[in-house]
Amino acid sequence: MAQDGIEVAEFLTMHLHQKKIIILGGSWGSILGVFMAHARPDLFYAYVGVAQMVNWQQDLSAGYARMPGMARATGNQQAITALTAIGPPPWHLVAKWPMYRKWERIYQARLVTAPPDSAIISPEYASPEEQVQYGAADDFSFMHFWGETLSGPLTKIDLPALGTSFAIPVFIIQGQQDLTAAPELAKAYFDSIKAPCKQFYLVPGTGYEDSATSLALTLKVLIEQVPPLTLTSPVGSSSS
């Protein structure tokens, strides 16, 4: 899939008559984006990661670790019982994932305070037929990426193992309340990165999904922070 992305990037540089383009990846795309940035830095002015995944097993453990405390704080005995029965990861049975995901979504929604984004499904993809096809594709992807014993390719992702030296600038935008892509892991990964320049943004009140706040910040980064890098070759690094 990373190679497919590289071929798309190559096409875009030719089609748009540009030497390079900017790559932005969110969630699974943030994994592909890092692979692509490592493989072909000559194609990209910068990498922008949103809801940056780092290591699926560690991200999962970090999210799970927060939830029993939230369940106890709200007196939700059903959640406490379910989470205790599942037990902390690592897991080796795919049936545990939807049981955990149910409660993760519930508590993620409670943590989010930023205004929601206004994204809607395009009419071209909103028909009943399209939704059926989307569901079938999602089921296939789930079994491929996670696998019946939760040992699929996604569960083995470990971005630091690729190396932490980047030949292009790196920007990471992370929701402060993200239970899926743990912000503390993304920040630790960012701190380990060596790049011509780098910047880390923690978005208050935002979880795993985009909020209006995170989208506005992403647009600001793409318009104000990245374009100057297309004209110069920055030296040194910065973070916040």
Side-chain angles (χ1 to χ4, degrees), residues 10-29:
E10 290 173 331
F11 168 78
L12 287 173
T13 58
M14 292 185 291
H15 181 68
L16 300 174
H17 305 291
Q18 299 292 321
K19 293 181 179 179
K20 302 179 182 181
I21 60 174
I22 302 164
I23 182 170
L24 182 148
S27 185
W28 169 244

Side-chain angles (χ1 to χ4, degrees), residues 143-214:
M143 291 309 298
H144 172 71
F145 283 108
W146 278 267
E148 292 185 359
T149 59
L150 291 179
S151 58
L154 177 61
T155 69
K156 299 175 182 177
I157 289 296
D158 182 19
L159 293 187
L162 292 176
T164 53
S165 293
F166 285 75
I168 61 175
V170 174
F171 299 82
I172 292 180
I173 300 170
Q174 208 77 5
Q176 189 174 28
Q177 300 296 346
D178 195 333
L179 288 177
T180 302
E184 63 271 23
L185 292 180
K187 183 58 165 63
Y189 175 57
F190 170 85
D191 288 342
S192 74
I193 287 173
K194 295 179 181 179
C197 68
K198 63 180 187 178
Q199 195 75 27
F200 185 90
Y201 301 90
L202 194 62
V203 189
T206 296
Y208 179 61
E209 302 292 342
D210 284 320
S211 66
T213 307
S214 66

Side-chain angles (χ1 to χ4, degrees), residues 69-155:
M70 290 188 288
R72 288 190 292 270
T74 57
N76 190 329
Q77 188 57 51
Q78 185 181 4
I80 295 171
T81 300
L83 292 169
T84 301
I86 297 169
W91 302 319
H92 304 289
L93 184 65
V94 71
K96 290 193 174 185
W97 169 248
M99 296 168 64
Y100 166 75
R101 185 66 170 155
K102 169 188 173 181
W103 294 108
E104 183 192 53
R105 286 175 171 170
I106 289 172
Y107 283 103
Q108 179 68 95
R110 294 183 180 183
L111 288 171
V112 170
T113 57
D117 68 54
S118 57
I120 59 173
I121 298 177
S122 172
E124 290 84 357
Y125 298 98
S127 70
E129 294 81 8
E130 287 284 352
Q131 292 302 297
V132 169
Q133 291 175 11
Y134 178 89
D138 191 55
D139 289 342
F140 171 82
S141 296
F142 178 85
M143 291 309 298
H144 172 71
F145 283 108
W146 278 267
E148 292 185 359
T149 59
L150 291 179
S151 58
L154 177 61
T155 69

